[in-house]
Amino acid sequence: MNTEVKRGRFITLEGGEGVGKSTQVSRLVERLRGAGVDAIATREPGGSPGAEALRHLLLSGKIKDLGPKAEAILFAAARIDHIDRKIAPALAAGTWVVSDRFADSTRAYQGLGGLDPGFLHALEHVTLGEIRPDLTLILDLPADIGLARAAQRRGSEASDRFEAEDLGFHAALRQAYLEIAAAEPARCVIVDAGLSEGEVAQAIWDTVSFRLLARAAHGA
Ligand code: TYD
């Protein structure tokens, strides 16, 4: 009898501020479970106790003073804990993992901090080890619309470290994500986040069904 557990699939949702990732992560996990797939939702920065502690520091803006290199390294440190404690064990147990942000957030956000691309590439290499998303959904929205949505969601709370950056930063961020998608079409799919919540959920589900579920059913 073959008792080997089939590795779970790793799906990441990415995009700028206010594109609706967290809602879509929950909807996707619910739908996967409804289809009989064992799946968990997680997020970055965070997702494990150590990484959640670093999240607090990173989003408070206190780390910004240490400079872009140290900030990128701390995002990576949080990611290592998240991978080791949560993502890798879940995938090994056959559970699908859906993460609100992952390594592309470092590529896009920290990539705008004037860091040497070789440094970010090397950092990603040592951080991820063998772990790579099977599918990355990039939720795309004009920066001004995303920022307005994020501000509405936040209400009277102060904006966090990155939301507080200017419109030029957020427009460049959108471009950075589109470039990631163009460079890795086998992994990345762009989703129009300007559609209704239900339509975005359906577009995501169609992509996951086509790219992952159909192949999983055929044993690929
Ligand atoms: P969060 O409150 O999760 O925002 P969002 O709803 O936009 O995902 O805050 C995460 C912030 O951290 C977000 O502004 C993006 C930023 N970030 C990075 O700059 N680099 C990273 O590697 C990650 C994971 C997040």
Side-chain angles (χ1 to χ4, degrees):
M1 193 174 76
N2 182 8
T3 52
E4 199 179 305
V5 176
K6 199 166 152 28
R7 180 186 169 278
R9 299 299 172 109
F10 183 28
I11 302 171
T12 59
L13 269 72
E14 293 276 1
E17 308 295 312
V19 297
K21 291 180 287 53
S22 26
T23 308
Q24 295 298 337
V25 165
S26 307
R27 289 185 72 139
L28 176 56
V29 166
E30 283 311 307
R31 205 147 175 190
L32 282 167
R33 288 178 180 160
V37 175
D38 181 21
I40 56 167
T42 190
R43 69 163 179 185
E44 287 205 350
S48 59
E52 289 289 334
L54 285 171
R55 172 189 175 88
H56 186 70
L57 270 177
L58 284 160
L59 299 189
S60 72
K62 286 183 190 129
I63 301 300
K64 189 180 177 187
D65 294 343
L66 272 60
K69 216 171 186 177
E71 195 171 46
I73 287 172
L74 279 178
F75 273 112
R79 183 160 302 127
I80 288 169
D81 191 60
H82 186 207
I83 291 171
D84 288 352
R85 309 277 170 138
K86 193 171 193 181
I87 299 173
L91 295 176
T95 301
W96 290 38
V97 177
V98 182
S99 187
D100 182 346
R101 298 194 180 283
F102 189 63
D104 294 313
S105 286
T106 298
R107 284 196 200 177
Y109 281 78
Q110 280 62 61
L112 292 177
L115 289 168
D116 168 19
F119 166 78
L120 281 176
H121 185 78
L123 184 62
E124 180 177 303
H125 184 75
V126 294
T127 304
L128 299 198
E130 300 294 308
I131 299 287
R132 293 282 177 289
D134 296 292
L135 174 65
T136 295
L137 298 147
I138 295 180
L139 274 58
D140 179 57
L141 199 61
D144 53 341
I145 298 177
L147 283 174
R149 281 194 195 175
Q152 197 179 18
R153 180 187 61 187
R154 172 164 52 76
S156 58
E157 266 179 49
S159 53
D160 71 25
R161 154 80 180 91
F162 293 97
E163 202 190 320
E165 294 283 350
D166 64 19
L167 186 59
F169 175 92
H170 291 282
L173 187 63
R174 180 189 192 195
Q175 207 48 45
Y177 272 120
L178 293 177
E179 282 166 21
I180 292 171
E184 290 189 55
R187 173 175 67 89
C188 302
V189 173
I190 297 169
V191 176
D192 179 359
L195 300 172
S196 72
E197 188 187 308
E199 286 170 324
V200 173
Q202 190 57 43
I204 288 175
W205 182 248
D206 289 345
T207 305
V208 169
S209 303
F210 178 69
R211 291 219 177 194
L212 299 181
L213 282 170
R215 285 176 206 173
H218 290 101

